[in-house]
Amino acid sequence: MSSSGCVLVDARRVFAESFGGAEPQLGVFAPGRVNLIGEHTDYNGGFVLPMALPLVTVLVGTPTSDGKISIVTTAEGADAPHRVEFEAPQDGRPLTPGNPSWANYVKGVIQHYRAGPVPGFNAVIASDVPLGGGLSSSASLEVATYTFLQQLCPDDGDPVQKALSCQRAEHTFAGVPCGIMDQFISVLGREGHALLIDCRSLEVTPLPLTDPGLVVLITNSNVRHELTGSEYPARRRQCEEAAKALGKESLRDASLGDLEALKACLTEECYRRARHVITEIARTTSAARALKAGDYRAFGKLMVQSHNSLRDDYEVSCPELDELVSLALEVSGVYGSRMTGGGFGGCTVTLVEASAADRTKQQLQEKFSGSATFYITKPSEGAGVLLL
Ligand code: GLA
C-alpha cells in the first residue's frame, strides 16, 4: 500500500500540528476507482466494470468526550476553510449541508451512519485521489468516513448497506443523484480484480486483471467543465422518461428492438440517451466475457464504441477527452481508450500492452493540447483499517 503510506504520513503530521501534538489513535483508507466500461448504466439498473485504485483517501483521528467533531482536510483543491467544527448529532437534531462543500460528504455520512450515536472526534483527511478528476474522490471520502465511524461505534459490518448509506449521503448532502458504482467499488474493491457489478441485484463477479503484459493507463485531462452539476441529473431524468415511455421499470429491461418500435413516442434526444444506455449495458457484459477470455482486442474495441456512444448519443464527453482518446488510439499496442466517470472533463482510461505504455504516455505528453497527468494503476483492495 505504497500510495496510502505517503498519504498516511501526511495525515499523521497534520493531525499532530492541528491537535496539540497528539498522535491519532485510528486510521482508515478508502480508494478511488476507474471504470473500465459501463458508463451511466448504474442508475439504469445496468452493469458496470470498475476497479478500485491504489489512489486513496485516508482519515486518521481520535474519539473525544466533548461531543464535538473537528475535522481538517489537506486535500488539494478542497474549498476553504480547511478546518470545520460542529456538534455530533444528538437527540434527533440532524446535521445540514452548508459550506465548505468538502465537509458535506463527511456530514452526510455521519447523518446516514447505520449505528450510533456517533461520538465527538478529531480527524484529518488526506488524499491522493485528484479532486473532481472523475476518479471518485467524493465516494472515497464518504467511504473513508464511514469506515472511520465503524471503528468508533461498530455497525453490523454489511458492506452493501455501507455503500448504500454513502450513496444516500451523496444524494442528500452533495445534491448529486449518483448511482451506486463509486461507493460500491470503494467498499468492495478486490486486489487484482475488476468487478462486474449488476447494479440492479448488486451481485458481483470479480474478474482477474493481473496479466503482466497489460497496463491500465489513466490520463487526467485536468479539465473540469462546469456542466456536470446540471447535466448529470438531466441525463438521469431523460433515462427515466425513456423507460416510462417504453413501459419498462428501467432501461435495463429494454432492448434495442423495444426502443426502435416506440421511437415515435420519444424526443430525438431521449431516444439517443436510451440508445446509449441499452447498447452500453450490452457492451459491458460482452467486455466482461472478453476479459475473462483474455481477448484484449475485443475488450478494446468495446471501449472505443463506448466512448463514441458517450460522445455522440449521451453527449457527456468534451473536446479534451475526445482528443486524448484519438491520440491514444494512434499508438500501436493500444487496445482501446475511452472517457471514464461522469464526463465533461476528468480522465480517460486506456488499455495498452505493457511494452507500449511509455510510448503512449509520450505521445499524449507531446501531442495533447492541454496538460495531462498519468497514472499506471493496478486493481486494488476496497476500504480498510490502517495499522498505526
Ligand atoms: C458518476 C456517478 C456514478 C456513475 C458515473 C457514470 O461517477 O457517481 O454513479 O453514474 O458517474 O457512469
Side-chain angles (χ1 to χ4, degrees), residues 33 35 37-44 48 134-136 138-139 167 170-171 176-183 224 228 232 236 276 280 310 314 316 338-343:
R33 63 96 189 93
N35 190 20
I37 194 162
E39 218 66 84
H40 290 278
T41 50
D42 59 352
Y43 51 84
N44 289 295
V48 293
L135 301 180
S136 286
S138 20
Q167 181 196 26
E170 176 126 1
H171 285 189
V176 181
C178 63
I180 190 60
M181 168 169 68
D182 304 347
Q183 293 79 10
R224 195 81 207 150
T228 331
Y232 188 95
R236 196 170 173 156
H276 164 72
E280 182 78 353
L310 288 158
Y314 219 62
V316 291
R338 56 182 289 277
M339 56 152 279
T340 185

Side-chain angles (χ1 to χ4, degrees), residues 30-373:
R33 63 96 189 93
V34 68
N35 190 20
L36 298 175
I37 194 162
E39 218 66 84
H40 290 278
T41 50
D42 59 352
Y43 51 84
N44 289 295
F47 288 90
V48 293
L49 187 56
M51 62 182 225
L53 292 176
L55 304 170
V56 294
T57 296
V58 161
L59 203 147
V60 297
T62 299
T64 58
S65 51
D66 60 1
K68 285 196 173 50
I69 295 176
S70 200
I71 308 170
V72 174
T73 183
T74 72
E76 209 175 302
D79 53 338
H82 292 173
R83 181 173 185 142
V84 292
E85 279 184 34
F86 53 94
E87 299 285 330
Q90 282 162 348
D91 313 325
R93 243 185 315 127
L95 294 174
T96 47
N99 285 317
S101 57
W102 63 266
N104 290 332
Y105 300 102
V106 180
K107 287 183 184 168
V109 171
I110 295 173
Q111 188 60 40
H112 293 290
Y113 187 58
R114 297 173 52 251
V118 173
F121 61 86
N122 295 331
V124 168
I125 297 161
S127 187
D128 61 0
V129 188
L131 234 63
L135 301 180
S136 286
S137 54
S138 20
S140 73
L141 175 53
E142 289 151 8
V143 174
T145 304
Y146 197 103
T147 309
F148 181 73
L149 298 182
Q150 286 177 305
Q151 312 315 303
L152 297 185
C153 40
D155 65 352
D156 59 10
D158 182 328
V160 172
Q161 291 305 323
K162 174 175 175 177
L164 288 167
S165 297
C166 291
Q167 181 196 26
R168 215 166 297 132
E170 176 126 1
H171 285 189
T172 54
F173 274 66
V176 181
C178 63
I180 190 60
M181 168 169 68
D182 304 347
Q183 293 79 10
F184 199 92
I185 186 72
S186 186
V187 174
L188 284 127
R190 189 152 147 197
E191 195 175 348
H193 294 79
L195 301 189
L196 177 68
I197 306 167
D198 178 335
C199 296
R200 181 156 65 182
S201 67
L202 297 181
E203 191 189 325
V204 179
T205 313
L207 299 173
L209 189 59
T210 46
D211 186 339
L214 191 70
V215 155
V216 177
L217 171 71
I218 297 173
T219 308
N220 191 347
S221 67
N222 290 306
V223 298
R224 195 81 207 150
H225 294 287
E226 282 311 318
L227 282 168
T228 331
S230 56
E231 294 290 322
Y232 188 95
R235 293 296 180 287
R236 196 170 173 156
R237 267 196 311 277
Q238 287 176 319
C239 289
E240 283 159 8
E241 248 173 66
K244 201 165 158 204
L246 300 180
K248 307 286 182 191
E249 199 183 305
S250 75
L251 288 177
R252 165 73 180 272
D253 302 310
S255 66
L256 269 188
D258 297 330
L259 182 65
E260 292 305 327
L262 290 167
K263 189 172 176 181
C265 306
L266 295 168
T267 63
E268 195 268 340
E269 203 173 75
C270 264
Y271 164 79
R272 281 189 291 113
R273 303 297 189 245
R275 183 167 63 183
H276 164 72
V277 172
I278 293 168
T279 55
E280 182 78 353
I281 292 173
R283 276 188 291 272
T284 307
T285 50
S286 303
R289 273 195 300 277
L291 188 59
K292 227 170 159 180
D295 189 347
Y296 306 137
R297 255 173 235 293
F299 195 100
K301 273 197 190 131
L302 291 160
M303 289 175 83
V304 176
Q305 287 169 11
S306 164
H307 181 80
N308 295 344
S309 175
L310 288 158
R311 181 192 62 202
D312 301 335
D313 274 355
Y314 219 62
E315 295 181 280
V316 291
S317 187
C318 63
E320 294 86 350
L321 294 173
D322 296 343
E323 190 190 349
L324 284 171
V325 167
S326 304
L327 288 171
L329 293 176
E330 286 172 6
V331 181
S332 80
V334 167
Y335 293 114
S337 184
R338 56 182 289 277
M339 56 152 279
T340 185
F344 303 109
C347 293
T348 62
V349 57
T350 303
L351 200 69
V352 53
E353 263 172 30
S355 58
D358 284 342
R359 221 173 30 240
T360 312
K361 267 170 66 175
Q362 199 181 344
Q363 152 100 343
L364 298 178
Q365 231 148 15
E366 282 170 8
K367 300 210 177 140
F368 179 47
S369 58
S371 145
T373 316

